[in-house]
């Protein structure tokens, strides 16, 4: 059975935002992500994550990548098949890097809140999800499936605070 926007229950959506709020409290860009295994008419959360790039001093530690690592560790012998039965919920449109990784893993679908006008890989900046030059199955991405306005408000809070990880420009 295919998961649609109307099937996203409020608990799943709230889990994403709880993760995004954790990121904000840690001084990270507030993006939260949940991976839902949509298997044999049952849905189970198999990974939750948020951005940790500042904490771990690694630009690759986006929320989606954190969840991918959790799935690989949890299902070491069958993660390729698990990904193909997984639906991804993200508070913000995945960046180009994460969108490409999700497409390569062939997840069933990606539902996200706000568009990412700076780095979005699902149409805002680049259409990694459907680019025909990428030789694998297109990625189904649904914009606005989560509360986009709530995502934007979290981003505004982040950009209003001081980011200790940004280098100071001398005048």
């Amino acid at each position: 059975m295919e998961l649609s926007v109307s099937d996203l229950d409020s608990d799943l959506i709230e889990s994403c935002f709880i993760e995004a709020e954790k990121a904000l409290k840690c001084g990270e860009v507030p993006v939260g992500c949940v991976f839902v295994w949509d298997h044999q008419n049952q849905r189970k959360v198999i990974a939750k994550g948020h951005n940790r790039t500042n904490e771990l001093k690694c630009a690759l530690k986006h929320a989606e990548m954190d969840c991918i690592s959790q799935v690989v560790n949890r299902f070491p012998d069958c993660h390729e098949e698990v990904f193909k039965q997984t639906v991804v919920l993200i508070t913000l449109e995945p960046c180009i890097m994460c969108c490409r990784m999700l497409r390569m893993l062939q997840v069933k679908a990606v539902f996200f809140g706000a568009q990412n006008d700076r780095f979005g890989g699902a149409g805002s900046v680049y259409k990694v999800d459907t680019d025909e030059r990428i030789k694998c199955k297109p990625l189904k991405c649904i914009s606005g499936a989560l509360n986009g306005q709530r995502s934007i408000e979290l981003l505004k809070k982040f950009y209003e605070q001081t980011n200790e990880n940004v280098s100071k420009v001398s005048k």
Side-chain angles (χ1 to χ4, degrees):
M1 185 162 90
E2 193 74 21
L3 187 67
S4 68
V5 174
S6 61
D7 293 325
L8 299 179
D9 72 35
S10 58
D11 290 341
L12 291 175
I13 294 169
E14 188 59 26
S15 290
C16 272
F17 283 102
I18 288 170
E19 290 297 320
E21 288 166 2
K22 286 179 189 177
L24 181 63
K25 286 177 185 168
C26 296
E28 301 281 355
V29 176
V31 177
C33 184
V34 174
F35 278 31
V36 179
W37 194 14
D38 190 19
H39 180 65
Q40 296 177 344
N41 294 325
Q42 293 186 324
R43 297 188 183 108
K44 181 179 180 181
V45 173
I46 57 172
K48 294 179 187 180
H50 57 273
N51 279 3
R52 298 176 66 202
T53 57
N54 293 334
E55 172 193 350
L56 299 174
K57 306 287 189 244
C58 179
L60 301 176
K61 297 299 182 179
H62 291 197
E64 302 92 327
M65 297 299 197
D66 188 23
C67 287
I68 289 167
S69 294
Q70 290 174 45
V71 172
V72 169
N73 291 331
R74 186 171 178 182
F75 303 97
D77 298 326
C78 62
H79 56 269
E80 293 95 349
E81 287 307 312
V82 171
F83 284 124
K84 291 176 185 176
Q85 300 168 10
T86 297
V87 174
V88 178
L89 283 68
I90 314 169
T91 56
L92 185 66
E93 176 184 1
C95 72
I96 292 167
M97 172 185 71
C98 291
C99 196
R100 177 63 182 105
M101 181 61 81
L102 294 169
R103 183 172 175 181
M104 186 182 81
L105 294 170
Q106 298 179 20
V107 298
K108 285 177 83 169
V110 175
F111 295 89
F112 63 90
Q115 291 183 312
N116 183 346
D117 293 333
R118 293 182 69 197
F119 306 108
S124 292
V125 175
Y126 186 67
K127 294 184 179 196
V128 174
D129 55 335
T130 58
D131 189 321
E132 293 178 2
R133 294 173 294 177
I134 299 172
K135 300 299 179 202
C136 63
K137 181 180 164 186
L139 178 62
K140 180 179 178 183
C141 290
I142 297 93
S143 174
L146 278 65
N147 186 337
Q149 188 57 43
R150 186 172 173 190
S151 299
I152 291 168
E153 291 304 318
L154 286 170
L155 288 167
K156 284 180 181 177
K157 285 180 184 177
F158 172 77
Y159 287 109
E160 288 170 356
Q161 65 189 16
T162 303
N163 185 345
E164 303 298 325
N165 294 292
V166 174
S167 60
K168 308 283 187 247
V169 178
S170 58
K171 294 186 178 191

